[in-house]
């Protein structure tokens, strides 16, 4: 965090400052900010956030022992550390992030990119950060820090010399993206796609589209909207951007795309295509598996172009990326049995993309195995969407469909109903049962996809399989 005095922080948060020891109102704080006491280092700020299962106020002492010099709390805690008492710790976190971003922006060189979409946010964020880090100091979220806590924590990592902030915005419900993007007012707004991920919390796909469009509305009027021209709901957001006086850059494989991909080819070692920008063509060879990641690469190239990075430079940097992120199309195992651990999250769109990738990268002598768990937060569409995934797996000729957990049973029944029988599809109660089954069922030459929503936790099963077959 940039250096601020205790008095300044208290004023920003409209909080009550309780000084301890040698601290004065003028004492400067410039350490990291976090809600996890285990992440504290010397000079850190601990935000005591109440939670559903525990209360951050219980860990103020542990945070101080680990190096925290300031605690932001909702009530005084009997710990020897300076504290600022606020009405709402999460709201205070947002207020502090807003002020830090504003001060760094006032220095005149900070550019902010906001990224949203039903799928692909984290991969696109990582791609863009890789491109921009060679241009100047770049701050981007770790993992998927894209909610009301994670997004401000990322913003608070800015320093006086930060040139680019890449923010990832998830949508907890209507208005959440508007709130988070309002903390930074992005110079560039990137919208990837509108899908059924989390549709149950929004009331349908049209409501999801409206939520994603909040990023365009929250951007600077003199900024740019980078939009997926292949997704009609995203491409329609150009009307919002144009009404606000923003420039619009389309990406995709449609003729409307200013940054376009042609001749996409997926293999077991990566994904290749031809990138077309302003009539110029250049090859891109991603080490990341899956045709769907071409869309994420296009978005990153387009956003970087708005910021002045030539396409050739962006392409060269993308080709150095080894994996999108841990648990996202992550290759594990060995030549004997290859595991693709893509179980950080799942939606109908990402399930379909991952299954198609599995089919595309497997040779005629290689058996395909899909280990699938439930997709969460789909609301009333959950049953139908699990049916669709089961049908697709069969139609793609996936040789073995291993369904894990009671919540995914309908996926299994759909696969059986479509014609997957004679042990081609099995349903197992939990991860341990699945591991015991797979460690004897898998054989040399198998190509295995592990995919589920984060809450199901199959990413850990993927790690176990990767280690067993390494």
């Amino acid at each position: 965090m940039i250096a601020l005095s205790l008095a300044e922080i208290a004023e920003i948060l409209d909080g009550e400052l309780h000084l301890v020891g040698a601290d004065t109102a003028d004492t400067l704080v410039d350490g990291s900010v976090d809600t996890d006491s285990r992440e504290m280092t010397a000079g850190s700020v601990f935000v005591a956030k109440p939670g559903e299962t525990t209360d951050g106020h219980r860990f103020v002492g542990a945070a101080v022992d680990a190096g925290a010099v300031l605690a932001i709390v909702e009530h005084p805690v009997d710990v020897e550390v300076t504290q600022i008492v606020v009405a709402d710790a999460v709201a205070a976190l947002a207020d502090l992030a807003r002020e830090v971003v504003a001060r760094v922006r006032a220095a005149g060189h900070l550019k902010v990119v906001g990224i949203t979409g039903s799928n692909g946010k984290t991969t696109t964020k990582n791609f863009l950060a890789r491109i921009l880090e060679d241009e100047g100091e770049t701050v981007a979220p770790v993992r998927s820090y894209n909610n009301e806590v994670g997004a401000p924590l990322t913003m608070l990592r800015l320093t006086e010399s930060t040139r680019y902030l890449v923010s990832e915005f998830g949508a907890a419900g209507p208005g959440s993206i508007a709130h988070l993007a309002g903390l930074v007012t992005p110079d560039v707004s990137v919208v990837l796609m509108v899908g059924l991920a989390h549709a149950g919390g929004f009331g349908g796909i049209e409501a999801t589209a409206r939520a994603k469009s909040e990023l365009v509305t929250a951007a600077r009027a003199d900024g740019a909207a980078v939009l997926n021209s292949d997704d009609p709901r995203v491409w329609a957001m150009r009307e919002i951007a144009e009404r606000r006086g923003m420039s619009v850059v389309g990406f995709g494989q449609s003729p409307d795309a200013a940054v376009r991909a042609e001749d996409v080819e997926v293999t077991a070692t990566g994904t290749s295509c031809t990138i077309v920008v302003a009539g110029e063509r250049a090859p891109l060879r991603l080490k990341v598996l899956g045709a769907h990641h071409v869309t994420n690469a296009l978005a990153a190239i387009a956003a970087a172009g708005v910021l002045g990075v030539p396409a050739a430079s962006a392409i060269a940097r993308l080709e150095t990326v080894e994996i999108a992120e841990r648990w996202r199309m992550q290759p594990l195992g060995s030549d004997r049995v290859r595991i693709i651990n893509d179980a950080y999250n799942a939606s109908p769109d990402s399930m379909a993309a991952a299954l198609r990738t599995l089919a595309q990268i497997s040779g005629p002598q290689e058996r395909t195995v899909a280990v699938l768990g439930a997709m969460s937060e789909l609301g009333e569409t959950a049953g139908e969407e699990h049916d669709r995934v089961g049908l697709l797996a069969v139609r793609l000729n996936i040789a073995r469909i291993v369904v894990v957990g009671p919540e995914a049973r309908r996926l299994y029944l759909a696969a059986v109903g479509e014609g997957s029988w004679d042990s081609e599809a099995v349903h197992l109660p939990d991860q341990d049962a699945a591991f015991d089954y797979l460690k004897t069922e898998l054989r040399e030459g198998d190509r295995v996809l592990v995919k589920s929503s984060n809450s199901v936790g199959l990413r850990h099963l993927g790690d176990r399989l990767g280690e067993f077959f390494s």
Side-chain angles (χ1 to χ4, degrees), residues 212-452:
K212 302 303 182 186
S213 72
E214 292 171 9
L215 182 57
V216 180
T217 304
R220 295 169 70 95
D222 60 351
V226 176
L227 305 175
N228 184 350
S229 61
D230 295 340
D231 186 321
R233 292 182 177 86
V234 175
W235 193 230
M237 296 176 195
R238 70 188 186 280
E239 298 174 5
I240 300 173
E242 290 167 349
R243 283 199 304 270
R244 302 190 65 238
M246 301 171 66
S247 61
V248 176
V249 179
F251 63 90
Q253 297 183 51
S254 71
D256 293 322
V259 180
R260 192 167 74 253
E262 298 177 346
D263 305 322
V264 177
E265 182 180 0
V266 180
T267 70
T269 58
T271 309
S272 63
C273 65
T274 299
I275 301 295
V276 184
V277 181
E280 297 291 327
R281 285 172 163 75
L284 169 64
R285 297 178 182 85
L286 288 173
K287 297 174 184 176
V288 180
L289 300 176
H292 52 297
H293 287 309
V294 170
T295 299
N296 302 329
L298 291 172
I301 293 167
V306 171
L307 297 172
V309 181
S313 298
I315 289 169
R317 295 166 194 172
L318 287 177
E319 291 184 334
T320 69
V321 177
E322 296 289 339
I323 63 171
E325 177 100 346
R326 188 183 181 192
W327 299 317
R328 285 178 168 85
M329 300 304 287
Q330 181 182 6
L332 298 170
S334 63
D335 289 340
R336 185 166 61 95
V337 176
R338 291 208 175 276
I339 311 294
I340 303 171
N341 193 351
D342 194 36
Y344 185 84
N345 223 330
S347 69
D349 296 308
S350 67
M351 273 280 198
L355 285 168
R356 290 192 180 99
T357 299
L358 176 64
Q360 289 170 331
I361 67 172
S362 300
Q365 305 304 316
E366 297 170 340
R367 188 175 63 157
T368 53
V369 180
V371 182
L372 306 175
M375 301 174 288
S376 60
E377 300 182 58
L378 295 179
E380 62 184 16
T381 67
E384 178 183 351
E385 293 304 326
H386 282 86
D387 288 348
R388 291 180 188 275
V389 171
L391 296 177
L392 178 62
V394 175
R395 292 170 183 174
L396 289 171
N397 294 315
I398 304 301
R400 288 287 184 272
I401 302 168
V402 180
V403 181
V404 184
E407 299 86 356
R409 181 171 173 77
R410 187 156 169 176
L411 191 161
Y412 162 74
L413 294 174
V416 172
E418 183 65 8
S420 181
W421 55 78
D422 191 24
S423 299
E424 292 174 355
V426 297
H427 181 240
L428 299 166
D430 53 39
Q431 290 189 46
D432 288 337
F435 180 72
D436 289 341
Y437 170 79
L438 289 164
K439 69 183 182 182
T440 57
E441 168 65 19
L442 296 180
R443 65 193 190 204
E444 188 165 344
D446 282 353
R447 299 296 177 258
V448 185
L449 169 71
V450 183
K451 182 75 171 168
S452 75

Side-chain angles (χ1 to χ4, degrees), residues 196-216:
L196 287 170
H198 315 300
F202 290 90
I205 196 165
E206 296 303 332
T208 302
R210 288 192 293 274
K212 302 303 182 186
S213 72
E214 292 171 9
L215 182 57
V216 180

Side-chain angles (χ1 to χ4, degrees), residues 89-171:
V90 174
L93 190 63
D95 290 340
L96 186 59
R98 181 189 294 107
E99 181 65 20
V100 166
V101 172
R103 293 193 184 201
V104 177
R105 191 189 281 279
H109 59 262
L110 177 68
K111 294 294 183 182
V112 179
V113 181
I115 300 171
T116 195
S118 298
N119 297 112
K121 296 183 293 295
T122 299
T123 299
T124 303
K125 170 263 295 184
N126 288 340
F127 281 168
L128 183 57
R130 174 62 193 92
I131 294 169
L132 295 178
E133 67 185 13
D134 284 0
E135 301 292 316
E137 183 181 307
T138 300
V139 170
V142 295
R143 298 185 293 277
S144 291
Y145 271 29
N146 60 24
N147 62 11
E148 64 177 356
V149 174
L153 288 179
T154 299
M155 298 167 193
L156 288 167
R157 288 169 45 212
L158 295 183
T159 69
E160 289 84 353
S161 58
T162 302
R163 186 171 175 187
Y164 300 106
L165 168 63
V166 181
S167 287
E168 177 185 338
F169 298 126

